[in-house]
């Protein structure tokens, strides 16, 4: 009892000091969006518009930081402690990896419309003006003498989409089988001289360093090069079949709980689904989900037959286990191909 | 063949191929255009060259990225440190060594001629750092004076600069000079007021800085150390409460010369009952020469011994100011305690104050947190470091009611007054030499009146990193 009495006064003082100190922690608003490689320009625009809207709505100044790199590598960084309030990654599998690490709720894909993929894209071929090697479809990439630029499927979301698009194409050919698909990919990767870690690095390799005959690229990245960066120097070749790429977004629950930024992060991601957010996506050559915006930009995007991950590969978990996990088909092919 | 030589060899190959294809430059006839097969070969070679260059570029990028992610090891004037790339994990190894000498003025048969000493006053290794971004730690054993004492051992949870929680053993937030690092003291030994505040205690403390250090606060619960004591555990259920509020009102302002002005007020409150002969809750007081000049009565039984028996409070306003080459500091401490000896009880208030002034003789800035010479000692460059002169006046008065029941007036002085003067030569941030002369006079403390004055010369070689 004497101890209790003796502690009462200090405890009250500690509580008072804590009450004074805690409000000071709430000052300042920042947010980190950890994204994949080619979305730099997209999110610069999104962030600028959203921060302005947030200021009008709440009166708070908001600084949104961006981090970009290969999607798989970015997911690894978040798992290892990079404090992202939101992730906007190239594929659901990478967000799932963060969820498996306990930082995002398992049901994250149901929280936002369209499986938390506010825009889509696909994979196309970017070739030099005049398409000197006459590359038309996936089988052309395996021809001897063709140099193909694509990033590393171990670290890059784009590379995985490329790989699976080629695999899916091979399966759809007459007599197509797992064996013929594997043979096609082996042929393609024999023609890959450099494996960059991310899509933007591969664009640099192809466009800035002048290496290769074809870049397997995100459609948005290819359109950016053809229309904005190097008009007249490159062409886009749309293969007969490509893949429906669905970059996904999610709030990182553990981080927003700790930083008290859940409302901000959720509002930010919902903004991507608004007409304004969809317009920004379309302007950066991402295919918008909203019908009105999609109709407005229909002429920008070439028509292409798209296969989906679920339909051909039974979902990302199965696709990853079969192709990109250690010992998967990519390891078998690339090891032999080298 | 190294990676770097490959591009050069290929360049040579391309050039040779081009030369062979295009013919000598001095030929009068224009060279024939390359055949399609030659052009293809050249293009292939160019592509190979570009691929090699790009691979080298990527290897460099990868190497730079790895370097960025790698732990950083550094060694310098602030010691040895290892930190992870993101700074979330750190280990710093620091330490300091104070090699002192104390020479007392007096003849061998003089009562004031205490033993002259060469001693290791402090020999401390400091391990401190961060674990997981929010959790700082510090461990500091001291091997000085032939003993091993754990001085600091605590964890500091730093949720924000305004909100930190410290738990373990450390200096309670009381006093001024006591809270100054031993490496930064103006004098070899602290002034008399430090006798009245606890040295080290075990406790939990909430502390922080507000408005970028303009305001500071600390409030905590401690076992309750006696004046000047360094304890590791408690001997009763009662705890002490300690707090300190500080302000540097002009820290962020532009008022001429007042940025370095600092004020604080601190205090403790606690209780204790049931003291014993070996744990009285009371302490002796010492001079600059570390000679005890006051002690409460001690006996072989509790009844014959003066013990703390009730409340103990301390109160200490304090200030310092550094401006250019000048620095001053002042503090006042009042330590009051309910004491008992046998059936006799009293509430005694002992007080002390000090005022210290310092001036740099060289063109260096005076600082309460240590001097960094602009021109560190370097014989070849004819640089001599920084030199500082210091002077202080301090006094400690014991409550007159302590005598004769609770303290023996024939051996315990009622008051001590000190004049001190000294010189500090800072060779660099890590090494300094100090020389002080401290003269203390007493009231009472001897069978026949006043205890003889003490004049001690203190010398220190100090190295810290």
């Amino acid at each position: 009892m004497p101890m209790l009495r003796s502690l009462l006064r200090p405890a009250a003082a500690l509580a008072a000091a804590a009450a004074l100190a805690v409000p000071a922690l709430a000052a300042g608003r920042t947010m980190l969006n950890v994204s994949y490689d080619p979305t730099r320009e997209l999110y610069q625009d999104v962030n600028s518009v959203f921060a302005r809207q947030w200021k009008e709505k709440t009166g708070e100044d908001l600084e949104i930081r961006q981090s970009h790199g290969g999607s798989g590598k970015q997911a690894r960084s978040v798992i290892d402690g990079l404090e992202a309030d939101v992730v906007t990654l190239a594929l659901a599998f990478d967000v799932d990896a963060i969820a498996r690490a306990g930082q995002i709720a398992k049901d994250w894909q149901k929280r936002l419309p369209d499986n938390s993929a506010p825009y889509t894209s696909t994979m196309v071929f970017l070739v030099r003006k005049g398409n000197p090697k006459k590359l038309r479809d996936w089988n052309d990439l395996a021809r001897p003498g063709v140099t193909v630029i694509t990033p590393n499927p171990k670290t890059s979301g784009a590379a995985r989409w490329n790989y699976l698009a080629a695999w899916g194409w091979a399966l759809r050919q007459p007599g197509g089988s797992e064996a013929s698909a594997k043979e096609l990919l082996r042929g393609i990767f024999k023609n890959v001289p450099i494996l960059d870690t991310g899509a933007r690095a591969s664009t640099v390799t192809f466009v800035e360093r002048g290496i290769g005959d074809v870049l397997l690229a995100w459609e948005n990245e290819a359109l950016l090069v053809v229309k904005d960066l190097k008009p007249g120097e490159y062409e886009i070749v749309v293969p007969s079949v490509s893949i429906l790429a669905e970059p996904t977004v999610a709030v990182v629950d553990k981080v927003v709980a700790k930083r008290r930024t859940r409302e901000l992060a959720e509002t930010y991601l919902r903004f991507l689904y608004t007409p304004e957010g969809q317009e920004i996506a379309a302007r950066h050559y991402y295919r918008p989900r909203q019908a009105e915006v999609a109709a407005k930009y229909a002429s920008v995007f070439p028509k292409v037959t798209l296969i989906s991950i679920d339909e051909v590969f039974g979902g990302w978990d199965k696709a990853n286990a079969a192709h990109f996990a250690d010992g998967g088909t990519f390891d078998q092919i690339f090891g032999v191909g080298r | 063949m190294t990676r770097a030589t490959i591009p050069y060899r290929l360049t040579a190959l391309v050039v040779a191929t081009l030369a062979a294809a295009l013919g000598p430059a001095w030929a009068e006839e224009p060279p024939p255009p390359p055949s399609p097969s030659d052009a293809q070969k050249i293009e292939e070679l160019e592509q190979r060259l570009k691929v090699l260059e790009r691979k080298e570029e990527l290897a460099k990028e990868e190497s730079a990225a790895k370097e960025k992610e790698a732990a950083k090891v550094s060694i310098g004037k602030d010691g040895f440190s290892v930190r992870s790339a993101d700074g979330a994990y750190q280990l710093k190894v620091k330490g300091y060594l104070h090699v002192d000498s104390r020479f007392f003025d007096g003849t061998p048969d003089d009562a004031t001629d205490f033993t002259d000493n060469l001693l290791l006053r402090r020999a401390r290794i400091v391990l401190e750092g961060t674990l997981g971004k929010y959790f700082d730690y510090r461990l500091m054993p001291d091997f000085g004076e032939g003993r091993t004492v754990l001085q600091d051992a605590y964890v500091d949870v730093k949720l924000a600069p305004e909100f930190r929680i410290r738990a373990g053993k450390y200096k309670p937030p009381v006093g001024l000079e006591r809270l100054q690092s031993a490496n930064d003291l103006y004098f070899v030994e602290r002034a008399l007021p430090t006798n009245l505040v606890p040295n080290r205690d075990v406790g939990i403390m909430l502390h922080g800085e507000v408005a970028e250090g303009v305001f500071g606060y600390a409030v905590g619960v401690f076992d309750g150390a006696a004046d000047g004591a360094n304890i590791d555990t408690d001997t009763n259920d009662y705890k002490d409460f300690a707090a300190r509020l500080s302000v540097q009102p002009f820290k962020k302002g532009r008022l001429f010369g007042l940025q370095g002005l600092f004020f604080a007020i601190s205090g403790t409150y606690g209780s204790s009952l049931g003291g014993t002969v070996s744990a009285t809750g009371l302490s002796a007081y010492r001079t600059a020469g570390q000679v005890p000049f006051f002690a409460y009565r001690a006996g072989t039984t509790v009844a014959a011994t003066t013990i703390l028996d009730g409340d103990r409070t301390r109160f200490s306003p304090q200030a310092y100011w550094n401006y250019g080459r000048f620095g001053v500091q002042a503090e006042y401490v009042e330590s009051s305690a309910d004491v008992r000896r046998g059936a006799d009880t009293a509430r005694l208030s002992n007080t002390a104050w000090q005022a210290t002034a310092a001036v740099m003789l060289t063109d260096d800035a005076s600082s309460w947190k240590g001097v960094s010479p602009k021109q560190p000692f370097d014989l070849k460059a004819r640089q001599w470091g920084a030199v500082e002169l210091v002077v202080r006046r301090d006094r400690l008065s014991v409550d007159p009611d302590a005598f004769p029941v609770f303290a023996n007036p024939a051996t315990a002085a009622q008051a001590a007054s000190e004049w001190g003067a000294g010189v500090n030569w800072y060779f660099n941030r890590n090494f300094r030499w100090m020389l002080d002369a401290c003269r203390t006079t007493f009231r009472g403390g001897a069978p026949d009146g006043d205890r003889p004055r003490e004049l001690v010369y203190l010398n220190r070689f100090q190295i810290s990193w």
Side-chain angles (χ1 to χ4, degrees):
Chain A
M1 284 308 285
M3 181 175 176
L4 186 64
R5 257 198 326 275
S6 157
L7 283 173
L8 271 179
R9 241 187 274 192
L14 280 169
L20 283 172
V22 166
L25 301 177
R29 276 299 220 191
T30 59
M31 189 172 80
L32 175 62
N33 175 3
V34 170
S35 194
Y36 61 108
D37 223 5
T39 56
R40 289 170 174 79
E41 297 81 9
L42 165 66
Y43 280 106
Q44 275 165 14
D45 275 7
V46 167
N47 295 347
S48 160
V49 174
F50 179 76
R52 194 171 61 241
Q53 287 189 2
W54 184 262
K55 170 86 173 170
E56 286 165 7
K57 185 180 156 194
T58 65
E60 285 179 331
D61 288 320
L62 175 62
E63 182 193 351
I64 305 171
R65 295 172 191 151
Q66 300 174 221
S67 168
H68 298 271
S71 186
K73 203 175 166 192
Q74 293 291 80
R76 189 71 249 166
S77 297
V78 173
I79 292 166
D80 288 344
L82 178 61
E83 290 200 334
D85 299 273
V86 298
V87 287
T88 53
L89 296 177
L91 41 98
F93 179 77
D94 290 331
V95 183
D96 276 336
I98 303 171
R100 279 195 295 275
Q103 297 188 40
I104 295 178
K106 292 274 190 296
D107 66 345
W108 64 273
Q109 227 167 346
K110 293 177 188 162
R111 291 172 170 179
L112 289 166
D114 301 315
N115 285 328
S116 290
Y119 41 78
T120 66
S121 191
T122 188
M123 313 314 292
V124 297
F125 304 165
L126 186 69
V127 296
R128 301 188 192 283
K129 180 74 179 169
N131 192 3
K133 293 285 173 80
K134 306 297 176 209
L135 305 171
R136 301 288 174 219
D137 219 337
W138 295 100
N139 55 330
D140 293 328
L141 306 182
R143 282 192 338 234
V146 173
T147 305
V148 180
I149 302 301
T150 180
N152 188 343
K154 293 281 187 182
T155 56
S156 162
R160 293 183 188 199
W161 289 116
N162 288 334
Y163 188 101
L164 296 176
W167 192 280
W169 177 88
L171 292 181
R172 289 170 71 112
Q173 301 312 299
S177 64
E178 296 282 320
S180 65
K182 198 169 173 181
E183 203 47 43
L184 171 69
L185 269 297
R186 178 175 285 127
I188 292 174
F189 274 92
K190 268 185 182 173
N191 291 341
V192 176
I194 295 170
L195 280 179
D196 290 295
T197 56
R200 181 55 59 89
S202 281
T203 304
V204 170
T205 298
F206 184 69
V207 176
E208 302 296 334
R209 304 293 179 265
I211 298 170
D213 301 308
V214 57
L215 169 69
L216 310 188
W218 287 102
E219 179 184 54
N220 53 281
E221 188 83 340
L223 284 166
L224 182 73
V225 172
V226 169
K227 289 182 181 290
D228 299 341
L229 300 180
K230 305 275 182 181
E233 293 181 34
Y234 296 91
E235 292 176 9
I236 291 175
V237 172
V238 180
S240 62
V241 170
S242 192
I243 197 159
L244 174 65
E246 294 182 299
T248 45
V249 301
V251 165
V252 183
D253 295 283
K254 274 212 165 169
V255 175
V256 296
K258 180 178 157 193
R259 300 189 67 237
R260 301 179 186 173
T261 52
R262 178 174 293 283
E263 188 200 350
L264 169 62
E266 288 177 349
T267 311
Y268 177 75
L269 293 187
R270 278 197 298 272
F271 172 77
L272 299 173
Y273 291 88
T274 63
E276 198 166 4
Q278 293 279 289
E279 276 273 349
I280 295 172
R283 284 205 299 274
H284 286 276
Y285 309 117
Y286 293 84
R287 297 182 176 220
R289 290 283 197 184
Q290 203 176 66
E292 294 79 14
V293 183
K296 183 177 167 186
Y297 286 88
S299 63
V300 174
F301 302 104
K303 292 198 170 16
V304 53
T305 304
L306 297 174
I307 58 171
S308 78
I309 286 287
D310 290 343
E311 166 201 333
V312 179
F313 300 95
W316 265 114
D317 282 343
K318 285 185 180 171
N320 185 70
H323 299 289
F324 309 119
D326 288 345
T329 62
F330 174 70
D331 281 350
Q332 299 161 24
I333 285 165
F334 199 64
V336 174
R338 295 287 90 186
Chain B
M1 189 188 304
T2 66
R3 181 180 284 157
T5 63
I6 293 172
Y8 300 116
R9 291 193 173 205
L10 273 170
T11 306
L13 189 56
V14 169
V15 171
T17 309
L18 280 169
L22 301 176
W26 59 82
E28 290 176 7
E29 297 273 328
S35 67
S37 61
D38 287 340
Q40 198 180 340
K41 278 181 187 169
I42 292 168
E43 195 188 321
E44 279 176 14
L45 286 169
E46 279 179 341
Q47 279 287 306
R48 285 188 190 181
L49 179 60
K50 284 177 179 174
V51 167
L52 288 169
E53 285 175 344
R54 178 65 171 151
K55 281 185 173 174
E56 191 177 1
E57 186 183 0
L58 292 173
K60 278 182 185 167
E61 281 174 11
E62 193 181 343
S63 163
K66 276 185 183 165
E67 198 175 308
K68 223 172 166 183
E69 288 169 9
K72 288 185 174 53
V73 178
S74 69
I75 186 160
K77 61 182 170 56
D78 296 321
F80 171 82
S81 71
V82 185
R83 54 171 288 180
S84 60
D86 61 0
Y89 293 87
Q90 291 185 46
L91 167 65
K92 294 178 188 171
V93 181
K94 300 179 170 183
Y96 50 98
L97 197 59
H98 294 177
V99 182
D100 287 12
S101 54
R102 293 177 193 148
F103 294 101
F104 292 90
D105 178 66
T107 56
D109 56 348
D110 189 339
T112 63
D113 184 34
F114 301 104
T115 307
D116 296 337
N117 251 316
L118 296 170
L119 71 153
L120 276 178
R121 178 75 168 89
R122 296 180 181 90
R124 296 177 178 179
I125 292 291
V126 183
L127 298 177
E128 63 181 25
T130 303
L131 294 172
K133 193 173 171 183
Y134 296 104
F135 309 99
D136 285 357
Y137 60 89
R138 179 179 166 97
L139 268 175
M140 185 176 75
D142 183 6
F143 307 103
E145 301 189 69
R147 297 170 298 174
T148 299
V149 178
L150 187 59
Q151 297 283 354
D152 288 335
Y154 62 79
V155 59
D156 213 21
V157 183
K158 44 176 187 180
L159 301 175
E162 301 87 351
F163 192 80
R164 292 172 166 231
I165 298 167
R166 180 177 295 181
K169 183 182 179 186
Y170 48 94
K171 294 176 181 177
V174 196
L176 178 68
E177 239 185 339
R178 170 52 69 199
L179 297 178
Q180 191 176 28
S181 166
N183 290 316
D184 301 331
L185 299 173
Y186 290 114
F187 279 80
V188 169
E189 295 293 348
R190 292 179 170 92
L192 292 167
T194 299
N195 275 301
L196 301 186
V197 298
N199 181 345
R200 298 294 203 287
D201 205 344
V202 181
I204 301 170
M205 177 172 83
L206 182 67
H207 67 119
E209 291 184 342
V210 181
E212 295 175 35
V214 171
F215 300 98
Y217 75 91
V219 54
V221 180
F222 296 86
D223 274 341
D227 292 349
N230 181 340
I231 63 170
D232 293 297
T233 186
D234 207 350
T235 55
N236 58 59
D237 287 342
Y238 299 88
K239 303 297 161 215
D240 274 16
F241 159 60
R244 186 177 196 241
L245 289 172
S246 65
V247 59
Q248 286 184 269
F250 307 107
K251 184 179 182 183
K252 291 165 73 179
R254 294 183 180 178
L255 269 179
F256 178 75
L258 295 178
Q259 280 93 339
L261 185 59
F262 171 94
F263 296 104
I265 186 163
S266 59
T268 69
Y269 169 79
S271 306
S272 181
L273 293 171
T276 65
V277 171
S278 59
T280 63
L282 301 168
S283 298
Y285 301 145
R286 293 170 182 271
T287 63
Q290 300 303 294
V291 178
F293 66 88
F294 170 83
Y296 290 98
R297 287 187 185 270
T300 53
T301 63
V302 173
T305 302
T306 305
I307 58 168
L308 176 66
D309 191 49
D311 290 347
R312 173 173 53 205
T313 57
R314 298 185 187 93
F315 166 69
S316 172
Q318 55 212 245
Y320 68 78
W321 181 44
N322 290 104
Y323 173 60
R325 291 158 54 186
F326 300 95
V328 291
Q329 69 175 13
E331 70 179 311
Y332 170 84
V333 182
E334 180 177 311
S335 175
S336 304
D338 294 328
V339 300
R340 168 186 295 277
R341 182 165 174 259
D344 295 309
T345 62
R347 181 158 185 83
L348 303 178
S349 286
N350 303 332
T351 60
W353 58 266
Q354 63 119 335
T356 301
V359 58
M360 302 299 305
L361 298 183
T362 48
D363 184 24
D364 291 283
S366 172
S367 172
W368 196 78
K369 294 177 180 173
V371 173
S372 290
K374 285 181 183 169
Q375 297 192 319
F377 184 80
D378 188 331
L379 275 176
K380 282 186 181 170
R382 301 182 70 77
Q383 292 180 181
W384 309 109
V387 179
E388 177 183 48
L389 291 183
V390 292
V391 61
R392 81 175 170 204
R393 178 85 172 106
D394 50 327
R395 180 180 172 84
L396 188 151
S397 303
V398 179
D399 194 319
D401 290 346
F403 305 95
V405 176
F406 304 102
N408 181 357
T411 55
Q414 291 177 30
S417 299
E418 186 211 39
W419 273 104
V423 59
N424 298 319
W425 183 357
Y426 300 87
F427 287 71
N428 52 38
R429 183 73 183 94
N430 304 100
F431 180 78
R432 76 166 162 167
W433 172 73
M434 309 171 76
L435 180 63
D436 298 342
C438 297
R439 182 179 185 278
T440 309
T441 55
F442 306 92
R443 190 170 78 239
D448 52 352
D450 293 343
R451 179 187 176 96
R453 68 101 177 94
E454 174 189 299
L455 176 59
V456 62
Y457 300 98
L458 302 165
N459 169 73
R460 170 168 296 167
F461 294 102
Q462 170 182 308
I463 193 155
S464 62
W465 67 93

